Structures are given as C-alpha cells and as structure tokens.
Amino acid sequence: INSTTMNDTTLPIKKKRQPRTKKSLSPGFGLHDWMQLLRHAKDLSQRRGAPIRRSIPLSEIQQHNKPYDGWMILRGKVYNIAPYLAYHPGGSEIMHGCLGRDGTVLFDRYHSWVNLEGLIGPLLLGYVQIEKKSGEEEEEGSGGGYLKGKVGGTTNSGAG
C-alpha cells in the first residue's frame, strides 16, 4: 500500500517541498561577517551624523532604487538597505524589486521571525511619511501606517 495515495487520516500525506533558493555568498559576506560589520562600522546608514528623520516622503524614497543607493520601507521605517544587499542569504538580486519601495509584505512572508532591529537597525534613516489625499481620513485598522501598493507582484495591504 502506498502511503502517498491513501486517504487514511492516520497516515501523513507527503507534500512536495519547494527547494530553498539560498545562494552561496562570497567569502566574507555571511551573517557572522555582517554582524561584525554592524558592531564596528560608524555610519552604515550614511546619515553623516544627521538625526533619524521623522517623516520621509515616498517620492524621495522612490528615488533611491539602485543597488548602490537603495532604500527600503519595512514596517513603516525607512532603511538604507544598500550596505546589507551583498550579505543577504537569498542573494542581492531578490531584493532589487523592493528598492525604493515598501517591502513589508514580502519580508513578513519569508522572514517574519527575524529581528529587524538586530539585523538592520543601524541602517535606519527614519519613518515614512504617510501621504493622505485631500479630504481622505485614515481608517481605523488601516494597516498600522504601512503603505499600500504592489511590491514584486505581490499586493501590499500592510498586513503583518
């Protein structure tokens, strides 16, 4: 009797797993190396001593959409993610579609267990400015201030 075709609730149904898409990183670009860099670097966010900004307009964030100058919104905060790209275990290319945009939904889908503050906290630039259209009021429970839109073909409703 083949257990993969039986419909008996006492036997597990084998599921096909999708392979992980982890890429091998260049030597010196692992998690340990990134954590070392965080501990010793003075200004990874490249704020040059400026304070954390309270309100960064989306139009400004969208201009920073290149791997060498990439900002990303995660959970309402704006990060200069460019220094981290080479250290990302899935490869930097997978994050390119989120540069200059809100990557909250994709981040939470694949990395909800990751402590953002511990991993990229020093890359914080500030908080995204929620732009309201004239006459529009914020709905209660509208997503905690996360932007709505599309990122990487996935609808971002701000759920997380």
Side-chain angles (χ1 to χ4, degrees):
I1 297 175
N2 187 348
S3 65
T4 58
T5 58
M6 286 187 65
N7 197 9
D8 186 348
T9 58
T10 60
L11 296 173
I13 297 174
K14 293 184 181 180
K15 296 179 183 177
K16 290 185 180 180
R17 289 186 179 201
Q18 291 189 1
R20 291 183 72 175
T21 56
K22 258 188 172 179
K23 298 200 175 203
S24 58
L25 300 171
S26 301
F29 288 92
L31 178 60
H32 176 76
D33 302 302
W34 173 250
M35 298 312 284
Q36 286 284 91
L37 183 61
L38 283 181
R39 279 193 288 279
H40 300 291
K42 300 271 190 244
D43 188 25
L44 278 178
S45 65
Q46 300 170 7
R47 286 187 287 133
R48 297 179 182 91
I52 291 174
R53 295 172 59 187
R54 290 184 162 267
S55 186
I56 304 173
L58 182 59
S59 57
E60 182 180 353
I61 297 164
Q62 290 170 334
Q63 294 173 8
H64 298 274
N65 60 1
K66 305 283 187 274
Y68 57 87
D69 178 29
W71 293 9
M72 184 184 298
I73 302 166
L74 293 169
R75 299 182 183 149
K77 296 179 180 180
V78 181
Y79 296 91
N80 176 5
I81 204 74
Y84 176 71
L85 291 177
Y87 295 87
H88 185 259
S92 64
E93 299 81 18
I94 201 164
M95 294 178 70
H96 288 181
C98 293
L99 298 177
R101 302 171 84 178
D102 189 349
T104 302
V105 170
L106 289 176
F107 179 84
D108 285 344
R109 179 181 300 151
Y110 298 104
H111 303 300
S112 60
W113 49 271
V114 173
N115 177 346
L116 270 176
E117 183 61 33
L119 186 65
I120 59 170
L123 303 180
L124 181 66
L125 296 170
Y127 299 88
V128 67
Q129 175 183 355
I130 303 300
E131 298 172 1
K132 295 180 187 176
K133 295 179 183 172
S134 61
E136 181 181 277
E137 291 186 30
E138 189 171 325
E139 296 175 21
E140 200 171 314
S142 65
Y146 303 147
L147 298 178
K148 294 182 180 183
K150 287 192 166 197
V151 176
T154 304
T155 300
N156 178 355
S157 63

